Amino acid sequence: MSDGEEIGARFRRFQERLADGSVGAGGPERPLERGVGTPGLDVPGRDWSPKTQRREPGGGGEGGRRGGGRGRGEREGITVPPVEFSSYYGRPILKAPVWKHDIPAYLFTGGLAAGTSLIAAGADLTGRPALRRAARVTSLAALGASTYFLINDLGRPERFHHMLRVAKLTSPMSVGTWILAMLGPAAGVAAVSEVGPLLPSRGLLGFARRIAPPTGRVAGLAAAALAPALATYTGVLLADTAVPSWHDAYPELPFVFAGSALLSSTGAAMITAPTAETGPVRRLALAGAAIELTASHRIETRLGLTGEPYREGRGGRLLRLSRSLVLAGAAGALLGGRSRLLSVLSGAALVGSAVATRFGVYHAGVDSAKDPKYTVVPQRARLEQAESDTDR
């Protein structure tokens, strides 16, 4: 008889013993060892030692069941208690943004450049030369700083020009790069045109002096037309990521950034321009305060769990500071129209509030990416809601 036939015969004898109850019927069983154990299962080379045997829940011995064991159909399964999943060993599910502080600084300076471009155009159209000049110079300086912060954050700053090889309307980064590239020269021409009155009245420089005002006006209006897009696209850029607290706030972030841009630009104008020409600026500051406070409050109350980083941690502290500065600056803008000192202090408070807002939103998003609960819990809630809607 071959080895295969012998093993088959032994297995058939084992099945017969199972049928007549002589194996596994509750009686004592010998420990299973290599090559020694239940007759018919002494297969050469198979390890039947106790450490390799399966233990049943109700048993206490090495072979599985001991005295009075259950039958095959009566075995109890192991009940695993429900586990509240967070992430693998509590590690973040998302990779937090690797941006340095150059990015929130870029968010602030970009908003400042956009707002002052609008103010400069309005001052030019309403005959406020000192306010126009201060706003144009501030816009150009803010654009220069904004460009530096954006390029400096790149891993390879010398390759920034590669962003201009294509224009992709579905990419907020691409759209923002082109907005910055078009607004920058326009704001630059508008600022340079302020040198016109200082030029000689004759010759080639005299010609430049004569064309400077109309050229500056056209360039200033072009910059003002692009300003709203520059002020708000950064909010769209943050909301277009997977970072929970940014992504869930996509309806409000552009309004927060628009209000912040108005506050920073009006604050800068109140500092640099004479109070006699800043009446419309102070009223614009009140509008910016209303927009930002309303949108920020909606973020904190509507988002639920993902709105928590806007109330707690470093982001929450900065945003609370921003609200305090907004209220102080708005009160100064409303009541201190004739006081140069109060105008400067109010403007400084408004500029400081804009800085705190941009850094607060930045840190809130980073904190939400680091903690897995802000990713897992809302996803589970949406899944359960979808299942309940399907059951209905």
Side-chain angles (χ1 to χ4, degrees), residues 101-103 105-106 109 144-154:
H101 284 163
D102 288 328
I103 292 302
Y106 161 72
T109 53
S146 180
T147 303
Y148 165 78
F149 288 131
L150 180 60
I151 295 177
N152 189 58
D153 186 73
L154 298 176

Side-chain angles (χ1 to χ4, degrees), residues 22 45 54 92 124 164 235 317:
S22 59
R54 177 183 177 184
D124 187 28
L164 300 176
R317 291 192 297 271

Side-chain angles (χ1 to χ4, degrees), residues 229-243:
L230 180 62
T232 57
Y233 100 89
T234 47
V236 179
L237 175 64
L238 296 185
D240 197 39
T241 66
V243 176

Side-chain angles (χ1 to χ4, degrees), residues 358-371:
R358 304 303 175 120
F359 277 82
V361 170
Y362 168 77
H363 285 294
V366 172
D367 291 345
S368 71
K370 290 180 178 179
D371 193 334

Side-chain angles (χ1 to χ4, degrees), residues 42-349:
D42 297 339
V43 181
R46 184 69 181 272
D47 185 4
W48 295 98
S49 59
K51 65 181 180 180
T52 64
Q53 305 307 305
R54 177 183 177 184
R55 297 178 181 269
E56 297 295 333
E62 299 157 354
R65 299 182 305 275
R66 289 292 178 103
R70 299 175 181 270
R72 294 174 62 187
E74 300 176 1
R75 295 178 182 175
E76 296 180 357
I78 300 176
T79 302
V80 180
V83 179
E84 183 65 29
F85 172 76
S86 59
S87 69
Y88 183 74
Y89 287 100
R91 295 178 65 85
I93 295 176
L94 298 175
K95 183 177 181 180
V98 296
W99 296 333
K100 302 184 289 292
H101 284 163
D102 288 328
I103 292 302
Y106 161 72
L107 300 178
F108 164 72
T109 53
L112 175 60
T116 48
S117 293
L118 281 174
I119 292 174
D124 187 28
L125 294 175
T126 57
R128 292 177 169 84
L131 176 60
R132 180 199 65 206
R133 183 164 51 251
R136 284 178 175 177
V137 172
T138 303
S139 177
L140 181 60
L143 279 170
S146 180
T147 303
Y148 165 78
F149 288 131
L150 180 60
I151 295 177
N152 189 58
D153 186 73
L154 298 176
R156 299 290 297 275
E158 70 275 9
R159 296 186 176 182
F160 173 76
H161 64 279
H162 290 185
M163 293 292 295
L164 300 176
R165 292 187 302 176
V166 296
K168 190 176 181 180
L169 295 179
T170 57
S171 170
M173 178 64 77
S174 178
V175 172
T177 302
W178 277 99
I179 291 172
L180 190 63
M182 291 186 293
L183 191 147
V189 170
V192 170
S193 69
E194 294 295 333
V195 183
L198 304 178
L199 298 176
S201 58
R202 295 181 180 181
L204 184 61
L205 294 179
F207 174 74
R209 177 175 179 168
R210 290 191 295 273
I211 67 170
T215 302
R217 171 167 292 187
V218 172
L221 293 176
L226 294 169
L230 180 62
T232 57
Y233 100 89
T234 47
V236 179
L237 175 64
L238 296 185
D240 197 39
T241 66
V243 176
S245 291
W246 290 343
H247 180 75
D248 290 353
Y250 72 91
E252 294 88 8
L253 275 183
F255 290 96
V256 172
F257 283 11
S260 177
L262 290 177
L263 292 176
S264 61
S265 57
T266 54
M270 291 167 65
I271 294 173
T272 57
T275 56
E277 295 187 7
T278 57
V281 170
R282 292 193 296 271
R283 292 189 289 273
L284 190 61
L286 297 178
I291 293 172
E292 182 181 330
L293 291 175
T294 301
S296 298
H297 178 72
R298 181 172 170 80
I299 286 177
E300 296 178 8
T301 56
R302 182 187 68 83
L303 296 191
L305 180 63
T306 52
E308 190 175 274
Y310 293 100
R311 301 186 298 270
E312 302 177 359
R314 186 184 301 182
R317 291 192 297 271
L318 287 169
L319 290 173
R320 286 193 294 272
L321 173 62
S322 173
R323 283 194 294 272
S324 300
L325 292 174
V326 168
L327 294 175
L334 181 63
L335 303 175
R338 297 182 179 181
S339 171
R340 177 63 180 161
L341 176 61
L342 187 56
S343 179
V344 170
L345 293 177
S346 301

